[in-house]
Amino acid sequence: MIANDRLLRALRRQPVDRTPIWLMRQAGRYLPEYRAVRARAGSFLAMAKDPATACEISLQPLRRFPLDAAILFSDILTVPDALGLGLHFAEGEGPRFARPLRDREAISALTADGLEERLSYVAEAVRLIRRELAGRVPLIGFAGSPLTLACYMIEGGSSADFALARAFAFAEPEAFAELLQLLTEATTRYLLMQRRAGADVLMLFDTWGTLFPPRLYRAFALPSLRAIAAGIRQADPEVPLILFGRGTGPWLEELAGLGYDALGLDWTVDLAEARRRVGDRVALQGNLDPAVLLADPAAIEAETERLLTAYAGAPGHVFNLGHGVSPGIDPDRVGFLIDCVARLSAPLHEAA
Ligand code: 1CP
């Protein structure tokens, strides 16, 4: 049993006393206590691969703020790493793979055999976090979407436009489809492993899918997202599923029919309009522009109020940012946002 079940209730579109809030990248470089652990550990990957450290970092934001959920501290790129691509983080440059996928042969050689064993450090982190939380709030496990992972695996690292990955989809459509199929299976198994280890909610991050032309998004993103939801539901009909995507404004109606309980929105979508479009088929999570946290408290309060008004206390809204907390944010501003959501949403839920 979970003492604070606001997130679970909102995802099921049940009434709550106030709107639940958690933040993407709530554990991260904006927190001095995170930077201290990172300095000791030496690197992001060293932290993520050590279950005790990952557990400690997941809990850091919850010690500071009355958040309604914890999220596993890890990264979406642990799956390609476990598939043999050799992940490392170059200082100040973001993720890099030692062995990116550059041709058909490299894709044919990939295998998901033994994936769970190679990612057992993640399962162990989930078990530790779950034990430390002791039922106070739910724990969110997560993975990257197959299309977003394929972007990084072909490109070899971060990119503004993932042009190499997009070119590959045109040049080698069959190999690209084969890669997505393998990643769909790997992602389903990885999420189910986190569920078995104790994750209460599972979330998929599709950060880059909508960089592709609509024809390719439809061909590659939608079927893999649907297959993952179906695969998880088959093994575990109850677990709440969240799908976050950037740039998904044009796709909301279709995404609402893929089998997820909630859609996470970036800030380019109007929340009230999104709610009208998806109706009561899914809950919505989001979508404060993270830049508001760089403005001033008056702006934070006004924008929070505006977003809460889109639901006016009706069930089915999880407050979040439209993307992760950026490293330059003042933690006090994050605390102020969380206070605003509690203070401004409670009367709306009481009245609704
Ligand atoms: O200390 C550091 O510099 C590491 C920064 C960092 C952190 C804190 C990275 C490297 N990953 C993470 C954690 C992380 N990544 C979480 C933890 C849980 C949380 O608190 O939310 C999650 C859910 C992710 C997911 C992730 N990683 C995504 C999807 C969501 C998104 O942000 O769009 C993506 C695209 C990544 C790749 C990645 N990992 C790290 C960085 C800096 C990036 C982005 C690289 C790029 O811009 O392409």
Side-chain angles (χ1 to χ4, degrees), residues 22-29 34 38 44 47 71-77 89 94-95 142 148 152 157-159 162 205 207-208 244 246 323-324:
W22 71 278
L23 302 174
M24 292 189 280
R25 294 274 167 100
Q26 64 190 24
R29 272 185 294 169
Y34 173 92
R38 192 174 188 274
F44 168 75
M47 295 193 293
I71 179 162
L72 163 71
F73 184 76
S74 188
D75 196 79
I76 63 168
L77 301 178
F89 283 82
F142 70 90
T148 289
Y152 284 101
S158 293
S159 163
F162 290 91
F205 286 91
T207 305
W208 302 118
F244 169 78
R246 287 186 74 174
H323 201 213

Side-chain angles (χ1 to χ4, degrees), residues 267-282:
W267 65 90
T268 61
V269 187
D270 181 80
L271 185 62
E273 194 189 314
R275 182 185 171 208
R276 277 193 295 277
R277 286 170 55 196
V278 303
D280 57 11
R281 285 186 292 162
V282 285

Side-chain angles (χ1 to χ4, degrees), residues 309-327:
T309 306
Y311 268 85
H317 181 214
V318 175
F319 203 100
N320 206 313
L321 304 179
H323 201 213
V325 185
S326 44

